[in-house]
Amino acid sequence: MTRSKKALQLIDKQIAKLDTEPFDLEAWKSGAQSLLELLFGGQHTTIGRVKSLKVDYSSWALRDATSKYNPLVTCKQMGKALLENAKDEIELLGLRSDRSDSAETDNVTVKLTSAELKKLSKVLEATPKDKHQAELVKAMGKWKPERIKEILGQLIASNPKLIS
């Protein structure tokens, strides 16, 4: 069984825990965060979203809600949606270690915003492989110079062999 399939099974187990009784949101969040950190690394955006899940009984939330509003159910639905998105990401892109071409590239990490990631992914999908570099340079040419320097610094810091 591949690592990606095992990861999908682990996420399914975490999703199933949402339906157990009694349900402890904080315990579930802790498990989900640990799993996501293991699979994606500590900086993945989904981890922050899981951390921010909370049962909102504030007067404003209750005032704007319908009579069928249940804050715990809403929180569980959001948690499930986040983990389903993580599953989709694994199915679409695979895990980082599955995607790497060699052991050397496993430790190369760059923190891109979701908009940057989407834009670069579109470029890579829409262009032939021999034109990737030119199209990526063109797409990143619209970014602020400070951001480009930051990304280049992250690349070199995570793998100094890139400049040798």
Side-chain angles (χ1 to χ4, degrees):
M1 183 179 298
T2 67
R3 190 168 184 265
S4 291
K5 287 182 182 178
K6 289 178 184 176
L8 293 173
Q9 286 180 339
L10 289 172
I11 292 174
D12 283 335
K13 283 183 182 180
Q14 194 65 33
I15 290 171
K17 290 178 183 179
L18 288 166
D19 296 325
T20 61
E21 290 298 330
F23 178 74
D24 181 351
L25 178 63
E26 292 304 315
W28 181 86
K29 284 173 34 177
S30 178
Q33 290 171 34
S34 295
L35 177 60
L36 292 170
E37 286 174 6
L38 174 71
L39 298 176
F40 296 112
Q43 302 301 319
H44 198 267
T45 55
T46 305
I47 296 168
R49 291 186 179 124
V50 168
K51 283 181 183 177
S52 68
L53 288 177
K54 65 179 181 180
V55 178
D56 191 2
Y57 287 111
S58 70
S59 60
W60 288 102
L62 296 174
R63 179 193 69 130
D64 294 336
T66 65
S67 62
K68 296 179 182 178
Y69 175 69
N70 182 334
L72 184 59
V73 171
T74 301
C75 199
K76 287 180 177 183
Q77 290 172 338
M78 289 171 47
K80 182 178 181 180
L82 289 169
L83 292 183
E84 291 289 346
N85 286 342
K87 282 177 60 176
D88 292 343
E89 182 177 336
I90 291 171
E91 289 171 349
L92 179 67
L93 302 173
L95 292 170
R96 185 179 308 158
S97 61
D98 292 345
R99 293 191 301 253
S100 64
D101 295 328
S102 70
E104 277 185 25
T105 59
D106 278 350
N107 62 356
V108 177
T109 57
V110 176
K111 296 172 189 145
L112 297 174
T113 65
S114 59
E116 292 168 344
L117 181 61
K118 285 179 186 177
K119 179 66 177 168
L120 296 181
S121 295
K122 278 185 185 178
V123 168
L124 292 173
E125 290 172 5
T127 58
K129 195 168 189 167
D130 61 330
K131 299 193 183 218
H132 279 175
Q133 182 177 353
E135 291 299 316
L136 288 171
V137 168
K138 186 176 169 183
M140 291 186 299
K142 298 174 185 173
W143 296 354
K144 293 181 180 178
E146 296 81 23
R147 181 64 180 141
I148 295 170
K149 289 177 189 176
E150 181 182 335
I151 291 171
L152 183 58
Q154 289 176 20
L155 275 170
I156 293 171
S158 64
N159 193 347
K161 292 180 182 179
L162 289 173
I163 59 172
S164 48

